[in-house]
Amino acid sequence: MRILESFFDNVLVLELFEKVDNRGSKMVNFNKDEIGKLNIDFEIKEQRIYKMPKAGTFFGIHYQEMTHPQAKLISVIQGKGLDYIVDLRKDSLTYKEWKTVELNEDEPKVIYIPAGYGHAFLSMKDNTIQMFAMNEYFIGGCAKQINYNDPEIGLKLPVNNVVLSDYDKNAPFLSEL
């Protein structure tokens, strides 16, 4: 595991090492000692797998209240998607700025997103599968969302018609929080 890119001071894109032989390939998505060598203190408390049958499926912008901060590790194990990271740290010089990283099955990467950031994901291929690990348990009352069309953030999606849940369609704008 090594750092490919970093932005917003502490968001990291990490390369996973792949071992290939006549049986196929193997990647280690998480190893506490290896990630610790990169000065990341992360222990998985909950892990989810999201299956997106249609390209254009969109999740986000989601974040956890800072009363229950949560860091995440995001990867794609099948298909392709765009991961969006939004800086929601109000005291940050990059507050409301966002970055996107392509994740796909052919280039094994994982994104480390510390607490204080919003996260969104757009599937770019049918049958995309995302793996999502958190260092704290999900607490429903602390999970929040921001409308992806919020003009203060200005998120740009490369597709016009996205598949959204009502939860995300009806998400508040920053000015409403």
Side-chain angles (χ1 to χ4, degrees), residues 4 15 40 59 86 98 117 135 163-164:
L4 289 174
E15 178 182 40
I40 300 171
F59 291 83
V86 181
W98 58 274
Y117 295 89
N135 72 334
V163 178
L164 280 172

Side-chain angles (χ1 to χ4, degrees), residues 21-165:
D21 65 22
N22 63 331
R23 300 168 293 174
S25 65
K26 171 187 87 170
M27 288 170 280
V28 176
N29 200 51
F30 178 80
N31 178 299
K32 187 164 177 54
D33 291 340
E34 289 298 314
I35 207 163
K37 290 175 186 174
L38 301 174
N39 294 318
I40 300 171
D41 184 20
F42 193 94
E43 180 179 332
I44 295 175
K45 295 215 177 152
E46 187 170 335
Q47 188 167 30
R48 299 172 176 198
I49 294 175
Y50 290 93
K51 296 179 179 181
M52 294 159 260
K54 294 184 136 225
T57 300
F58 187 73
F59 291 83
I61 303 168
H62 301 161
Y63 67 100
Q64 197 78 4
E65 282 185 344
M66 289 309 287
T67 56
H68 292 86
Q70 184 182 74
K72 302 170 186 166
L73 289 173
I74 311 293
S75 61
V76 164
I77 57 175
Q78 179 177 300
K80 178 169 94 170
L82 296 177
D83 204 83
Y84 292 83
I85 302 97
V86 181
D87 190 347
L88 297 177
R89 302 169 300 160
K90 289 183 180 177
D91 59 345
S92 168
L93 295 175
T94 55
Y95 177 59
K96 298 189 233 176
E97 290 183 22
W98 58 274
K99 300 279 186 187
T100 185
V101 176
E102 181 182 306
L103 294 173
N104 64 70
E105 64 188 89
D106 297 322
E107 299 173 65
K109 292 186 270 193
V110 64
I111 302 173
Y112 168 70
I113 306 171
Y117 295 89
H119 174 253
F121 185 84
L122 175 67
S123 67
M124 298 300 292
K125 283 179 83 173
D126 290 346
N127 300 310
T128 293
I129 299 175
Q130 177 196 64
M131 191 153 26
F132 187 114
M134 301 169 284
N135 72 334
E136 292 297 334
Y137 297 108
F138 175 80
I139 300 173
C142 297
K144 302 295 179 190
Q145 77 276 16
I146 298 169
N147 196 296
Y148 79 101
N149 280 320
D150 194 311
E152 288 187 54
I153 296 173
L155 210 64
K156 304 280 189 252
L157 303 181
V159 297
N160 293 325
N161 298 319
V162 294
V163 178
L164 280 172
S165 69

